[in-house]
Amino acid sequence: MEGKKILVGVCGSIAAYKSALLVRLLVKAGAEVRVIMTQSAQSFITPLTLSTLSKHPVATEFVKNAAGEWENHVELGLWADLILVAPASAHTLSKFAYGLCDNLLTATYLSAKCPVAVAPAMDLDMYQHPTTQENMTKLQRMGISIIEAEHGELASGLVGTGRMAEPEHIFDFVESHFSTEKRFEGKRVLITAGPTYEKIDPVRFIGNHSSGKMGLALAHQLAGEGAQVDLVAGPGKYSILSDRIAMTAVQTADEMYEAVAERYAECDVAIFAAAVADYKPATVADQKIKKSGETMMIELVKNRDIAAEMGLQKQVNQLNVGFALETENESTHAQQKLSKKNFDMIVLNSLNDKGAGFSHDTNKITIFKPSGDSLKFEVKSKTEVAKDIVNAIYELG
Ligand code: CTP
């Protein structure tokens, strides 16, 4: 990000305080940051905070000072390598969508030739409103990246999707946007992620605690490096920050199998990061099963092994990468899976390692290759782990 010129737009939202953290992260990474604030943004955070952090005066009006000097929005727009509006209010999103131009931010947006990304922030119903959704779709069609809002508690006290993506997540987006190493340009990568839910009856299922975070981090890393990513994901919350990622949501192992089988022949690399249920109920009850005896049995039948079956179809120009989560004899089990499923590489997480596994934001991995070589890594964030895995995949190719 060193030397990249980023114009941060700040709109009126309680999330405006987070733009201070974002600006700090960007400056710390070496970016040159300038900030434009709308008038209502200044009710939430002062220009002084952002000018101190960005080390540049903050632009707020068409007229710069008492001498009547013009704040040249055309120059600002052409200066930027990226315009990043965070937080982006519903109002500003709709102005962007329709080309309305009533303040310095909207005028700069219309003057700019560089890529634009917006991180919406609003209450959940405003975010879900068909008008907001339509505006975002329209912006996306125009090539603007939407850094999707996240789920959590909102200023209204309600809980839902609408809060601005965390500054670290926006930073990750910017980092991958500027990732100069487009090592996977022109490559198609298929990734499975998350758990599968195997239905017992209309209200119950057998599942597991996989969050899908590792698969999602890999998807973003690879998309940042130029790949076109097909993400086939089991139930979970996935905040997709790249238009190079096409997500297909599935529930069961059978649905995951079908989605993968449909896409496998087209991919250059397949990464099997999902925690697929090994078994499913032999029958799914049509109605909710009523409580009866003291014990109850559910007959389970084996699910198809997606990775193993794709391993049988693998062509010489394809690479398959597997995951193994083990609790004992970790290396032996991982290496057995490597050869049994015809993987070119397997990533082992051991539940015995602190900070590794399903619901953590961190992971500790060892990578095994068919040659017997192994690479051990320290505990890192899943984003950092994704970089290590992607480096190892690149070296295989
Ligand atoms: N896998 C898959 N389809 C399945 C089961 C597993 O694609 N039905 C993939 C996983 O995504 C992972 C690898 O196979 O990349 C190993 O998964 P794991 O559950 O550790 O292996 P299993 O073969 O199911 O072995 P076990 O559960 O007995 O350890």
Side-chain angles (χ1 to χ4, degrees):
M1 217 179 289
E2 193 67 49
K4 293 292 178 203
K5 300 187 181 88
I6 304 173
L7 188 61
V8 175
V10 182
C11 302
S13 156
I14 184 65
Y17 79 93
K18 291 196 205 166
S19 47
L21 303 171
L22 176 62
V23 167
R24 196 168 64 113
L25 286 172
L26 296 170
V27 170
K28 227 172 125 193
E32 204 181 318
V33 178
R34 287 178 185 250
V35 179
I36 296 182
M37 295 177 81
T38 64
Q39 199 172 9
S40 57
Q42 296 165 58
S43 309
F44 293 92
I45 180 170
T46 67
L48 182 62
T49 306
L50 294 176
S51 65
T52 310
L53 290 168
S54 67
K55 303 181 172 64
H56 288 288
V58 167
T60 55
E61 304 290 343
F62 287 106
V63 179
K64 242 189 217 177
N65 48 34
E69 202 184 333
W70 178 39
E71 186 69 77
N72 190 333
H73 60 84
V74 180
E75 230 167 49
L76 270 174
L78 297 179
W79 168 85
D81 295 318
L82 173 72
I83 292 187
L84 177 63
V85 184
S89 63
H91 195 196
T92 295
L93 287 178
S94 71
K95 287 196 251 180
F96 280 6
Y98 288 92
L100 298 181
C101 183
D102 63 347
N103 63 26
L104 189 66
L105 179 60
T106 47
T108 307
Y109 163 76
L110 286 180
S111 312
K113 291 207 167 83
C114 64
V116 177
V118 294
M122 62 200 78
D123 206 54
L124 75 168
D125 293 322
M126 295 170 74
Y127 193 65
Q128 287 310 333
H129 197 283
T131 313
T132 310
Q133 290 294 322
E134 199 179 293
N135 285 339
M136 290 200 291
T137 308
K138 190 169 175 206
L139 290 172
Q140 249 168 341
R141 276 204 303 268
M142 294 191 291
I144 287 152
S145 304
I146 310 282
I147 304 173
E148 279 181 34
E150 295 180 359
H151 185 92
E153 195 174 329
L154 299 155
S156 60
L158 297 173
V159 174
T161 302
R163 51 190 282 161
M164 186 177 85
E166 288 303 319
E168 292 78 9
H169 296 165
I170 300 176
F171 178 81
D172 288 345
F173 167 88
V174 176
E175 201 176 38
S176 79
H177 172 82
F178 284 124
S179 161
T180 45
E181 289 186 295
K182 300 283 184 200
R183 297 181 296 185
F184 288 82
E185 191 83 65
K187 299 280 181 201
R188 264 204 112 82
V189 180
L190 176 60
I191 301 177
T192 69
T196 62
Y197 285 2
E198 309 300 325
K199 290 188 190 110
I200 298 172
D201 68 15
V203 292
R204 302 181 180 97
F205 60 84
I206 298 171
N208 60 65
H209 293 299
S210 171
S211 60
K213 283 180 184 165
M214 195 63 248
L216 186 65
L218 283 163
H220 281 115
Q221 185 59 33
L222 285 155
E225 296 202 23
Q228 199 58 48
V229 179
D230 280 313
L231 179 66
V232 178
K237 290 189 194 90
Y238 301 89
S239 175
I240 306 286
L241 307 180
S242 166
D243 45 18
R244 286 179 174 274
I245 303 175
M247 189 178 115
T248 305
V250 296
Q251 291 270 328
T252 64
D254 283 335
E255 287 170 12
M256 187 172 276
Y257 178 91
E258 296 303 332
V260 168
E262 223 171 85
R263 292 162 178 80
Y264 182 73
E266 301 298 316
C267 78
D268 300 287
V269 179
I271 305 175
F272 299 91
V276 186
D278 290 332
Y279 294 90
K280 65 178 175 187
T283 54
V284 180
D286 289 340
Q287 305 298 331
K288 186 180 167 209
I289 301 172
K290 300 304 278 180
K291 183 163 59 191
S292 52
E294 285 308 306
T295 59
M296 109 172 238
M297 301 283 285
I298 299 176
E299 192 190 350
L300 301 177
V301 292
K302 221 177 205 167
N303 271 324
R304 282 178 289 189
D305 191 313
I306 306 168
E309 293 204 23
M310 297 309 126
L312 293 175
Q313 296 179 24
K314 193 173 69 172
Q315 302 294 309
V316 279
N317 57 342
Q318 290 181 303
L319 291 174
N320 284 8
V321 176
F323 273 76
L325 178 69
E326 305 291 343
T327 55
E328 45 152 12
N329 297 330
E330 292 95 338
S331 309
T332 314
H333 284 143
Q335 287 177 83
Q336 280 166 353
K337 284 176 191 170
L338 177 76
S339 64
K340 205 169 101 193
K341 304 199 188 194
N342 197 16
F343 288 139
D344 298 280
M345 187 177 116
I346 193 159
V347 182
L348 165 70
N349 318 277
S350 165
L351 272 192
N352 296 325
D353 286 325
K354 246 186 157 174
F358 277 172
S359 39
H360 296 281
D361 284 325
T362 53
N363 207 355
K364 184 172 189 304
I365 59 157
T366 307
I367 292 177
F368 292 94
K369 297 187 187 168
S371 58
D373 289 351
S374 67
L375 287 165
K376 245 188 157 99
F377 298 87
E378 289 312 306
V379 176
K380 296 181 181 186
S381 72
K382 285 190 173 165
T383 310
E384 290 302 312
V385 172
K387 284 183 192 162
D388 292 335
I389 295 172
V390 169
N391 286 341
I393 295 173
Y394 182 72
E395 276 162 27
L396 280 180

